[in-house]
């Protein structure tokens, strides 16, 4: 103790020194340590220190398999398990597009137009036991780049692509276009990058920042991977029909993909191409490959070498041969028969294509065009700062709307995540449940402190609410996102109508509001107590007496919440008021508690079922919720404050306008 | 105690220490596993030990202070020994495992890996936090003169040293090209921890076996008893620990001409004297026996007591 014992009792007492700031500093340092640790956990794939981690990436296999520089033949033998086909769910459904596995736990990228109109999606994967079909759903859409991220509904692990660095992709870089052929074979062509940073105007939209490549020649490659010599994903191919009827090949580059989807998938971004010789030597020898990966996939890698028909390996028709035209006609016919419409990228007549029939080489573009729009943004935990702000803002707005009128916040949140961020309902639902757990938990505590919650009522209804949300969750999973969007739009429409009603029949409503305010909380409770026979026979099975009534009061809210991911207060408050005969304030208070319990149930089911079946990964919904919860909470407080400050009529106009806009947007999109 | 603030300060420091050590334990374990630093994982055990010690003190204060009841006429003090024994066994097993693991890595040069640099950062942060806690506890210990807080200060000091050693090891591994140093320090620290844990185990074992209290303390008790007017000799002294307290039974020799009433008064005087001068006396049982020759008490008072300890110890 002598060496550091500088504090004899005669010295200045500890508490008289500036220890506060020191303690705060230490706390920050400890916090920073944890933050760093979690960052490392999150990004260990990018950190050079953890190079020896076990991975299922194609490029990892290429390096591991044979030392030295991989050639195209080796690519052809390794890549196919990560190239998938995407089809409708029918028994004989034709593969409509290719896709690329970009995450070991079953994330698939493909073109959005290929899957947008499919009610159910199946992904065809080559495995050791032949082609296996996995049900999949859209996790996130990015219409601007015609991309869709799918998640296969399974806990299996897959060989996947590492993202290549494509910010400055030189023209003439050799690339390999892969596709999943109609009969399950591999469509493959070696080519080059012939243009970069291209904007393409199709009939549907304009897609920017594209690469052009002559390695994409067939419709079957649509959505498939464009791969470089190291087996890294350069881009997702888009095949476009030029006005003259020829197929032109483009690709959405990897850095654009990473920018838009890294909030869901933690992509492994390839290190710079110069692999130091030492790193290659450190790779385990080929003989240990089987022990390094999950058994089936070690075999899956070996399999295609025997199974791939030799003629397909040689299948490299000339660029102008419209090899897939018959297939395309067939696929279209099939989808049309089922009432759908298969998207097709057709270049607009006044497109950028400089010469008909030839691939657009952009002479004006410098060879090293650096895309400054993507990938240079600061990102935190995989989220771009812009996205974080956007999500927080959305949560804030939904909170304000919810706090203002005590309903409709959930609709804004879910609709916003769907429309502006392109997330699928499978991801939105758990996020929404979690957000509601926090927001309504806080509201429930507030309401309980104010003595507004009639617990006897709530206790009887809560199980029904939870049951409803569980049933709703599974119903919601079974139905299509488009249908959910329509229902959601109808709800928003209903709410805007209600807003209008309140604006024009102000007098009457106001009376009720005032009387509800004037009534004490006990009066509401008394009414409920009376209705439930609480007063007279407290001990004699008061709650079980009326299951039908409880079910009517509790179940619909749960169902709505489960299917749509909204709080369900929209349904519950009127039910409580007009069917349960509770005053408005009590109705809102009771609903907040019910929503809380329903959301707890929903979150529990969504996470256990979702993770168990491979529907979701736990980090993405959790981190989304973490971003949104504070915004929603603060928004709720602001909304409640606005309710007191702004004139009621103005609030109602704002509310009605917002809801109307939401409903129009939702209904028009779907 | 110079300030009014010292009173609340002395009450909260136990909890502050507990919370700080829990956070440090979590941080060291987390960083140790993420960074792959053996020494950092072992260093976790130092903080974990402090957490457990603090908890034992808290449990000791609540459970062993429970009043006597019919089932436990001697109180609940031994719960502390039982808990210490169990915890020290677990502690020794975990530390032993870490030792074996560290040695296995140490002897296999292929497994020597430089830990991630985050471990160095975390070690430095841990040193800073422990120095802060040391200064804090030292101040409280000095102002309120609490041995328990002094122990806390001592632990913070040794933890800071341990973390500093870890930091040194990582610096060596990182910047001096000695990746084995981290593991070597892990081995060294596990040995230190085994020694410390062994001490806790031995104390708990002694307590459960009703081992007598330390010789110097026994000498003190005998001397105190003898200093009382009317005590001719200390015939027998039996002592044991129950939790934080000591239970003492003694037989004193008094002049056999005295009446029972007088002898009893002398016994009471001995009790008062001892419990006034010594802390942590849980129960003190003094009985008197007559003894033939009554030497003047003042003459005996000066006699050294150390030689008597061995012959009287029961």
């Amino acid at each position: 103790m002598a060496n550091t014992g500088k504090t004899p009792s005669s010295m200045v007492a500890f508490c008289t020194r500036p220890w506060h700031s020191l303690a705060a500093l230490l706390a920050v340092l400890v916090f920073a340590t944890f933050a760093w640790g979690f960052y490392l956990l999150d990004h260990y794939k990018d950190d050079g220190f953890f190079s020896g981690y076990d991975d299922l990436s194609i490029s990892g296999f290429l390096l591991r398999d044979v030392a030295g520089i991989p050639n195209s033949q080796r690519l052809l033998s390794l890549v196919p398990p990560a190239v998938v086909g995407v089809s409708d769910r029918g028994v004989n459904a034709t593969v409509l597009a290719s896709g690329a596995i970009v995450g070991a736990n079953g994330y698939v990228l493909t073109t959005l137009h290929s899957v947008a109109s499919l009610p159910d999606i199946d992904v065809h994967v080559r495995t050791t036991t032949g082609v296996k079909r996995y049900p999949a759903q859209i996790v996130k859409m990015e219409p601007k780049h015609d991309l869709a991220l799918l998640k296969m509904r399974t806990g299996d692990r897959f060989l996947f692509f590492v993202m290549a660095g494509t910010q400055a992709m030189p023209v003439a870089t050799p690339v390999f276009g892969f596709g999943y052929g109609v009969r399950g074979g591999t469509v493959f062509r070696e080519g080059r990058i012939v243009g970069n940073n291209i904007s393409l105007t199709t009939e549907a939209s304009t897609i920017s920042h594209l690469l052009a490549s002559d390695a994409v020649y067939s419709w079957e490659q649509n959505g498939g991977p464009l791969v470089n010599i190291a087996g890294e994903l350069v881009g997702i191919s888009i095949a476009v029909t030029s006005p003259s009827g020829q197929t032109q090949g483009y690709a959405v580059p990897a850095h654009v993909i990473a920018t838009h989807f890294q909030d869901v998938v933690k992509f492994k971004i390839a290190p710079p191409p110069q692999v130091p010789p030492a790193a290659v030597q450190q790779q385990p020898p080929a003989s240990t490959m089987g022990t390094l990966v999950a058994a089936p996939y070690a075999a899956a890698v070996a399999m295609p070498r025997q199974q791939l028909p030799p003629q397909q390996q040689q299948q490299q028709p000339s660029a102008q041969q419209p090899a897939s035209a018959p297939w395309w006609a067939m696929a279209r016919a099939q989808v049309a028969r089922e009432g759908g419409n298969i998207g097709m990228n057709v270049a607009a007549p006044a497109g950028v294509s400089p010469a008909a029939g030839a691939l657009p080489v952009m002479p004006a573009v410098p060879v090293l065009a650096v895309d400054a729009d993507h990938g240079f943004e600061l990102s935190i935990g995989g989220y771009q700062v812009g996205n974080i702000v956007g999500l927080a803002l959305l949560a804030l707005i939904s909170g304000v709307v919810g706090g203002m009128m005590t309903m409709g916040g959930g609709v804004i949140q879910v609709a916003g995540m769907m429309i502006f961020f392109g997330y699928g309902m499978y991801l939105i639902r758990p996020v929404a449940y979690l957000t509601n757990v926090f927001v309504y938990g806080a509201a429930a505590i507030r309401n309980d402190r104010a003595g507004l919650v009639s617990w006897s009522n709530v206790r009887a209804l809560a199980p029904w609410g939870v049951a409803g949300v569980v049933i709703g969750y599974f119903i919601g999973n079974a139905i299509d996102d488009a249908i959910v969007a329509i229902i959601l739009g109808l709800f928003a429409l209903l709410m805007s109508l209600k807003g209008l009603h309140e604006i024009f029949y102000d007098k009457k409503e106001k009376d009720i509001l005032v009387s509800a305010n004037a009534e004490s909380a006990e009066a509401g409770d008394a009414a409920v107590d009376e209705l439930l026979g609480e007063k007279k026979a407290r001990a004699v099975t008061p709650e079980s007496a009326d299951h039908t009534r409880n079910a009517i009061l509790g179940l619909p809210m749960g169902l709505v919440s489960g299917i749509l991911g909204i709080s369900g207060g929209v349904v519950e408050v009127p039910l409580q008021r007009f069917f349960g005969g509770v005053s408005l304030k009590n109705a809102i208070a009771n609903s907040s508690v019910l929503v809380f319990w329903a959301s707890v149930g929903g979150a529990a089911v969504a996470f256990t079922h979702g993770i168990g079946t491979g529907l979701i990964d736990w980090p993405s919904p959790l981190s989304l919720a973490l971003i949104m919860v504070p915004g929603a909470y603060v928004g709720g407080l602001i909304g409640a404050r606005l309710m007191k400050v702004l004139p009621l009529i103005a609030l109602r106009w704002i509310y009605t306008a917002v809801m109307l806009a939401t409903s129009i947007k939702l209904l028009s999109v779907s | 105690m110079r300030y009014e603030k010292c009173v609340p300060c002395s009450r909260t420091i136990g909890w502050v220490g507990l919370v700080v050590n829990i956070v440090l334990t979590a941080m060291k374990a987390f960083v140790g596993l993420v960074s792959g630093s053996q020494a950092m994982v072992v260093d976790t055990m130092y903080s974990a030990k402090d957490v457990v010690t603090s908890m034992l003190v808290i449990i000791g204060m609540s459970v062993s202070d429970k009043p006597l009841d019919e089932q436990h006429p001697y109180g609940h003090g031994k719960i502390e020994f039982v808990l210490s024994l169990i915890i020290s066994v677990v502690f020794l097993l975990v530390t032993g495992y870490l030792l074996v693991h560290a040695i296995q890595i140490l002897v296999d040069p292929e497994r020597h890996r430089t830990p991630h640099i985050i471990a160095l950062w975390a070690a430095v942060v841990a040193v800073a936090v422990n120095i802060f806690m040391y200064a804090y506890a030292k101040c409280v210990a000095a102002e309120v003169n609490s041995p328990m807080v002094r122990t806390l200060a001592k632990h913070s000091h040794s933890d800071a040293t341990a973390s500093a050693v870890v930091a040194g090891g990582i610096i060596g591994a990182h910047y001096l090209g000695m990746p084995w140093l981290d593991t070597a320090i892990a081995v060294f620290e596990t040995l230190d921890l085994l020694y410390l844990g062994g001490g806790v185990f031995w104390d708990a074992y002694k307590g459960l076996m009703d081992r007598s209290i330390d010789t110097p303390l026994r000498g003190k008790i005998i001397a105190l008893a003898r200093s009382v007017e009317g005590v001719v000799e200390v015939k027998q002294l039996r002592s044991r620990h129950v939790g934080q307290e000591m239970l003492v039974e003694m037989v004193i020799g008094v002049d056999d001409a005295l009446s029972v009433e007088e002898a009893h008064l002398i016994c009471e005087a001995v009790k008062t004297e001892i419990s006034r001068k010594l802390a942590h006396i849980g129960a003190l049982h003094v009985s008197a026996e007559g003894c033939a020759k009554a030497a003047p008490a003042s003459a005996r008072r000066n006699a050294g007591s150390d030689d008597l300890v061995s012959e009287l110890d029961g």
Side-chain angles (χ1 to χ4, degrees):
Chain A
M1 228 182 264
N3 52 344
T4 39
K6 294 167 224 148
T7 333
S9 57
S10 61
M11 275 186 67
V12 192
F14 184 76
C15 52
T16 58
R17 295 188 209 183
W19 66 273
H20 287 96
S21 45
L22 201 61
L25 177 72
L26 288 174
V28 169
L29 290 181
V30 169
F31 184 78
T33 313
F34 275 103
W36 189 2
F38 278 111
Y39 178 84
L40 280 182
L41 274 189
D42 209 24
H43 292 79
Y44 70 97
K45 291 173 180 173
D46 312 335
D47 196 312
F49 175 77
F50 302 99
S51 56
Y53 79 103
D54 178 9
D55 95 32
L56 287 170
S57 70
I58 295 276
S59 33
F61 269 93
L62 278 170
L63 278 171
R64 216 175 281 159
D65 199 15
V66 183
I69 302 157
N71 60 29
S72 58
Q73 205 53 44
R74 208 174 296 126
L75 268 184
L76 194 56
S77 67
L78 263 176
V79 167
V83 181
V84 297
V86 178
S87 78
D88 194 4
R89 190 154 300 164
V91 184
N92 294 317
T94 320
V95 171
L96 298 174
S98 299
I101 302 181
V102 289
N105 33 15
Y107 282 108
V108 172
L109 271 172
T110 186
T111 41
L112 177 59
H113 71 266
S114 319
V115 292
S117 58
L118 298 182
D120 298 298
I121 303 167
D122 263 7
V123 171
H124 303 235
V125 188
R126 298 181 180 88
T127 68
T128 35
T129 49
V131 172
K132 201 167 168 188
R133 286 173 69 157
Y134 291 97
Q137 78 280 332
I138 298 177
V139 181
K140 193 178 177 186
M141 295 182 274
E142 186 53 45
K144 267 194 300 185
H145 293 287
D146 191 25
L147 286 178
L149 181 70
L150 311 179
K151 170 87 175 74
M152 288 187 262
R153 219 184 278 190
T154 171
D156 292 353
R157 294 184 62 79
F158 301 89
L159 204 63
F160 68 97
F161 286 107
V162 166
M163 294 286 165
T166 51
Q167 234 103 26
M169 196 79 188
V171 167
T173 310
V175 284
F176 307 84
F178 282 89
Y180 189 98
V182 198
R183 288 173 203 84
T186 299
V187 181
F188 166 71
R189 187 174 193 213
E190 191 171 347
R192 285 176 190 285
I193 297 284
V194 293
N196 55 25
N197 215 353
I198 294 166
S199 277
L200 174 75
T201 305
T202 66
E203 281 173 345
S205 62
T206 300
I207 309 171
S208 60
H209 301 105
L210 288 175
L211 297 171
S213 172
D214 55 2
V216 180
Y217 70 97
S218 157
W219 278 103
E220 288 157 294
Q221 286 169 303
N222 219 332
L226 195 65
V227 176
N228 66 11
I229 192 93
E232 297 153 2
L233 186 77
V234 169
I236 290 296
S237 308
I238 298 179
V240 177
T241 300
S242 72
S244 58
Q246 271 146 346
T247 304
Q248 298 174 344
Y250 296 91
V252 184
H255 70 278
V256 174
I257 295 168
T259 308
H260 289 294
F261 294 102
Q262 66 184 352
D263 52 342
V264 183
V265 186
K266 302 285 172 252
F267 291 114
K268 183 167 161 45
I269 315 273
Q274 299 84 3
V275 182
V280 178
Q281 280 161 14
Q282 273 169 16
Q283 294 295 334
S287 59
T288 62
M289 186 181 79
T291 61
L292 280 166
V293 295
Y297 304 103
V301 177
M303 176 272 301
R305 289 175 212 177
Q306 296 111 42
Q307 214 184 48
L308 206 67
Q311 69 271 20
Q312 270 169 355
Q313 291 193 19
Q314 313 306 327
Q315 187 184 354
Q316 295 185 26
S318 65
Q320 306 308 326
Q321 184 189 346
S324 49
W327 164 80
W328 186 247
M330 185 179 71
R332 242 178 176 192
Q334 188 190 345
V335 175
R337 226 181 299 131
E338 286 160 13
N341 177 30
I342 187 162
M344 181 177 186
N345 277 324
V346 179
V352 291
S353 177
L359 282 164
V361 183
M362 310 295 282
V365 180
V367 173
L368 273 176
V370 177
D371 173 10
D373 295 352
H374 294 92
F376 286 101
E377 274 190 72
L378 183 63
S379 78
I380 302 168
Y383 289 85
Q384 295 165 56
V385 173
N387 263 354
I388 294 182
V389 173
L391 280 168
L393 203 66
L394 174 66
L396 189 79
I397 293 170
S398 77
V400 169
V401 170
M404 216 156 68
M405 301 300 276
T406 69
M407 58 178 126
V411 175
I412 302 278
Q413 187 195 4
V414 173
M417 287 181 77
M418 226 172 179
I419 297 166
F420 296 115
F421 295 91
Y423 292 113
M425 279 308 290
Y426 293 91
L427 193 53
I428 295 177
R429 257 184 224 110
V431 175
Y433 297 151
L434 262 188
T435 315
N436 287 342
V437 166
F438 286 101
V439 173
Y440 284 86
I445 291 170
R446 268 203 309 276
N447 286 325
D448 184 40
R449 285 213 185 117
L452 291 169
V453 179
S454 54
W455 285 103
S456 55
N457 181 349
V458 168
R459 234 173 269 135
L461 301 188
W464 288 103
V466 174
V469 87
V470 172
I471 300 168
Y473 167 78
F474 286 105
I475 295 177
N477 275 357
I479 61 177
D480 193 35
D481 280 11
I483 298 171
V484 171
I486 292 173
I487 302 175
L488 209 58
L490 290 177
F491 259 98
L493 192 66
L494 209 66
M495 280 178 226
S496 64
L497 289 179
K498 180 156 164 43
L500 277 178
H501 177 264
E502 284 186 4
I503 288 166
F504 291 110
Y505 294 87
D506 190 29
K507 271 261 150 33
K508 206 179 156 205
E509 278 291 315
K510 214 169 186 178
D511 284 349
I512 291 177
L513 270 171
V514 169
S515 69
N517 284 341
E519 270 175 38
S520 67
E522 285 77 21
D525 270 11
V528 178
D529 286 350
E530 227 169 68
L531 279 164
L532 294 173
E534 280 273 291
K535 279 260 163 78
K536 289 160 217 158
R538 206 164 239 290
V540 190
T541 61
E543 274 123 31
S544 58
D546 212 345
H547 280 317
T548 328
R549 174 192 185 76
N550 291 340
I552 292 173
L553 276 173
L555 207 55
M557 178 213 68
L559 281 175
V560 167
S561 182
I563 297 173
L564 302 178
I566 64 178
S567 68
V570 179
V571 180
E572 186 61 19
V573 173
L575 267 180
Q576 288 255 336
R577 283 184 71 189
F578 303 115
F579 192 78
V582 182
S583 76
L584 179 64
K585 270 193 161 183
N586 291 118
I588 292 171
N590 292 348
S591 300
S592 67
V593 178
L594 285 175
V595 169
F596 168 75
W597 281 112
S599 304
V600 169
V605 171
F607 272 87
T608 48
H609 172 258
I611 294 165
T613 55
L615 204 61
I616 52 166
D617 266 342
W618 63 268
S620 22
L622 205 63
S623 49
L624 278 172
L626 278 179
I627 293 172
M628 299 196 80
V629 166
Y633 185 75
V634 173
L637 294 182
I638 295 174
R641 182 105 198 114
L642 281 180
M643 193 160 72
K644 287 175 191 153
V645 178
L646 285 184
L648 199 59
I649 192 79
L651 279 183
R652 284 181 179 161
W653 273 115
I654 297 172
Y655 178 81
T656 308
V658 169
M659 279 300 158
L660 198 63
T662 311
S663 74
I664 289 169
K665 183 82 189 170
L666 276 170
L667 292 174
S668 66
V669 162
S670 44
Chain B
M1 207 181 295
R2 293 174 293 176
Y3 306 94
E4 270 185 23
K5 275 192 275 181
C6 289
V7 177
C9 206
S10 66
R11 284 200 198 117
T12 47
I13 189 165
W15 290 101
V16 172
L18 181 63
V19 169
V20 166
N21 276 315
I22 288 175
V23 171
L24 281 184
T25 307
M27 187 184 84
K28 288 177 182 175
F30 178 55
V31 171
L33 293 175
V34 168
S35 68
S37 167
Q38 301 279 319
M40 182 55 92
V41 172
V42 172
D43 197 34
T44 304
M45 297 302 288
Y46 280 95
S47 295
K49 178 177 68 71
D50 292 349
V51 170
V52 171
T53 315
S54 307
M55 282 181 168
L56 276 183
V57 170
I58 290 165
I59 292 171
M61 284 182 168
S62 55
V63 177
S64 45
D65 279 4
K66 265 185 17 185
L68 316 181
D69 54 38
E70 270 178 42
Q71 279 80 37
H72 305 93
Y74 290 96
H76 299 80
K78 284 211 171 155
I79 186 76
E80 265 183 61
F81 295 139
V82 176
L83 289 177
S84 304
L85 194 77
I86 296 169
I87 288 168
S88 61
V89 167
V90 172
F91 185 84
L92 287 174
L93 286 177
V94 174
T95 315
Y97 168 78
L98 287 176
L99 176 66
V100 170
H101 189 65
I103 288 178
Q104 276 175 346
I105 292 183
L106 193 64
V107 297
D108 184 359
E110 279 189 17
R111 289 169 73 186
H112 291 170
R113 286 202 66 191
T114 305
H116 193 275
I117 199 74
I118 188 177
L120 176 59
W121 163 268
V124 172
V125 169
V127 171
V129 171
N130 276 317
I131 288 178
F132 180 86
M133 275 308 291
Y134 170 68
Y136 176 31
K138 190 97 196 298
C139 173
V140 178
E143 295 298 330
V144 301
N145 195 23
S146 152
M148 211 121 72
V149 180
R150 202 166 293 129
T151 314
L152 182 67
K154 211 174 88 187
H155 283 170
S156 294
H157 182 257
S158 58
D159 289 359
T161 316
S163 293
V165 173
V166 171
I170 298 163
I171 290 173
H174 244 279
Y175 300 107
L176 307 178
M178 298 188 284
W180 50 268
L181 196 57
D182 182 65
T183 318
I185 282 169
V187 171
F188 169 74
E189 293 209 333
T190 42
L191 290 174
D192 183 39
L193 280 167
L194 282 177
Y195 176 73
L196 292 174
V200 176
F201 177 83
W202 185 236
D203 281 344
Y205 172 78
K206 283 195 297 191
L208 282 179
M209 290 303 288
D210 283 343
R211 208 183 133 113
S212 177
I213 57 178
D214 295 342
T215 311
L217 202 55
R218 281 206 309 272
K220 222 172 182 178
I221 292 172
I222 290 166
L224 280 171
R226 280 183 170 180
S227 70
V228 174
E229 192 73 40
V231 177
V232 179
E233 59 178 333
V234 176
K235 286 193 157 183
Q236 198 183 23
L237 173 66
R238 294 209 299 169
S239 61
R240 60 193 168 112
H241 286 284
V242 174
Q244 312 264 318
E245 318 266 81
M246 290 176 283
L247 299 194
V248 180
E249 290 167 40
M250 66 197 303
V251 180
I252 52 169
V254 293
D255 187 349
D256 52 6
L258 294 177
S259 69
V260 173
E261 180 67 29
E262 285 163 330
H264 176 70
L265 283 176
I266 293 170
C267 289
E268 288 300 310
V270 170
K271 276 190 195 175
T272 317
E273 177 70 7
I274 292 176
S275 39
R276 206 157 51 85
K277 296 267 171 72
L278 289 181
H280 297 303
I281 298 293
L284 182 56
H285 183 85
V286 185
S287 55
E289 279 178 11
C291 78
K293 188 174 168 281
S298 54
R300 298 299 303 255
R301 213 172 284 165
N302 298 328
S305 53
D306 282 0
D307 51 334
L308 271 168
V309 170
S310 49
E311 51 186 87
L312 289 174
D313 193 20

